[in-house]
Amino acid sequence: MSVTIVVGTQWGDEGKAKIIDYLSENIDIIARYQGGANAGHTVVVKNKQYIFHLIPSGILYPNTICILGNGVVIDPKAFLEELDSLTKENIHYEGRIFISDACHIVLPFHKLIDAHKENLSEGQKIGTTKRGIGICYADKMLRIGIRIGDLYYNLEERLQNYINIKNKELKYLYNLPEISYEELYKELKDFAERIKSMVIHTPTYFEKALKEGKSILLEGAQGTALDIDHGTYPFVTSSNTTTGGALTGTGIAYHYIENVYGICKAYVTRVGEGPFPTELKGEMGEELRKYGNEYGATTGRPRRCGWFDVELVKHAGRINGLTGLVLTKLDVLSHFDTIPVAIGYEFENNKIDYFPSYGLESCKPIYEYLPGWKSDISNIKSYSELPANCKKYIEKLQEWTNIPIKYISLGPNRSQTLVL
Ligand code: GDP
Ligand code: IMO
Ligand code: MG
């Protein structure tokens, strides 16, 4: 019983990587379970910043093992670039990174189609990261995609069939250039050679590790409200970002799960399109963006900012079975005199006390107003030293969400973390 899951409780970028890095000090194996290079996970150690897209955020400790579970979609180019940047940073990864042989592969045309669809004037713009994620998962569901294991067994036939289907789609549906079999085959074979020693059968690897008493942390990407089933569909990503996805995306059985930590910002941000009830569109939103430095770690896009939304986090608690919350970026709120918190919604003249599957764009937040603390808390080392109004903010969020807050984060550095 030593598996911890870390999930985002909002629309991603909650500071998951910072907390995963912090927790990884005492963890043997860190595994991603879904998503791909759409993730942008920032870790700051001694003021040096690292941004990970596919590599698990626990890589900075010299002895951790990092795994990409079967639910992850791997872009060979992005993955190799990330390995090269580890080498540049003098981070030794040999024998420490493993990939499931059942991961699907993101191919160049997935990215082309993703970007093309986003740029079409007709159809629905999602505001994706253009990393080909949705298109790759669609091919997985259509049962035509190429997996890591295919690189080593019967690739010729699988790739030829796949390209025949995709070339029709590219030509007739999107009017995009067709794929050359020879070029792609060579690229994939070169990739296969480079990663050969990393490819493993993950369910048996995890089972053995757990029987040996190893601790495992499952690293979620994106957040609960971006989950394909439980998020703000269609403005979501194309995977299960939640606890269910951690099980299917690794092959680890449910009874090993000990803790599920939900990471939540002390306010809310969102990148891309879609409803966001507590969004601040004016000057206040710009202030939050400025103080929180809210720009995407993958695309650099400015993040939309708004106040804490209790129903959103309660939704995450319910779906993920959260055993604790980690409240991040509390330091950013030090600038405000009063801090509004949405404790429910008004929808078509009725008060509703859940995060709805439809009509969120018409939900009006019902706010409670808490007093700010207006002092720098970023170097505080214990809970008792926090200003009274800051403690009150934490206690009220705990009371309203009804989920125990286990850690708080007061800055991007590893050291700016308090255990409650
Ligand atoms: P993730 O995708 O959930 O891992 O989050 P991102 O890395 O995309 O975005 C979180 C941003 O906030 C990063 O720039 C972090 O360095 C930063 N960050 C994390 N925790 C804190 C915190 O407690 N305070 C402040 N000021 N920044 C934080
Ligand atoms: P991390 O792991 C924030 C958003 C995109 C878009 C939607 C679909 O860093 O929290 P996709 O490219 O996945 O098809 O885009 O999801 N999105 C994220 N937003 N953080 C992320 O990851 C995200 N990954 C995808 O902006 O709205
Ligand atoms: Mg991010």
Side-chain angles (χ1 to χ4, degrees), residues 11-13 16 38-41 127-129 221-222 226 236-237 271 301:
W11 279 285
D13 303 329
K16 297 178 292 296
N38 50 349
H41 290 177
T128 73
T129 59
Q222 291 82 53
L226 287 171
V236 291
T237 192
V271 209
R301 290 178 291 177

Side-chain angles (χ1 to χ4, degrees), residues 265-306:
K265 261 183 203 169
Y267 49 98
V268 182
T269 64
R270 169 163 211 175
V271 209
E273 309 297 316
F276 178 176
T278 62
E279 180 172 16
L280 293 161
K281 291 202 166 123
E283 215 174 281
M284 200 69 107
E286 274 162 35
E287 276 186 35
L288 257 180
R289 185 176 309 123
K290 181 177 80 184
Y291 296 133
N293 192 23
E294 295 295 356
Y295 295 89
T298 295
T299 58
R301 290 178 291 177
R303 294 174 181 151
R304 299 156 64 191
C305 298

Side-chain angles (χ1 to χ4, degrees), residues 12-19 39-44 49 51 57 219 222 263 265 267 291-298 303 327-332 408-413 416:
D13 303 329
E14 297 91 347
K16 297 178 292 296
K18 174 201 155 155
I19 299 304
H41 290 177
T42 317
V43 177
V44 181
Q49 178 177 279
I51 299 180
S57 305
E219 170 171 359
Q222 291 82 53
I263 314 301
K265 261 183 203 169
Y267 49 98
Y291 296 133
N293 192 23
E294 295 295 356
Y295 295 89
T298 295
R303 294 174 181 151
L327 192 61
T328 61
K329 304 196 92 161
L330 201 55
D331 54 304
V332 175
I408 56 174
S409 173
L410 304 176
N413 269 286
Q416 292 168 297

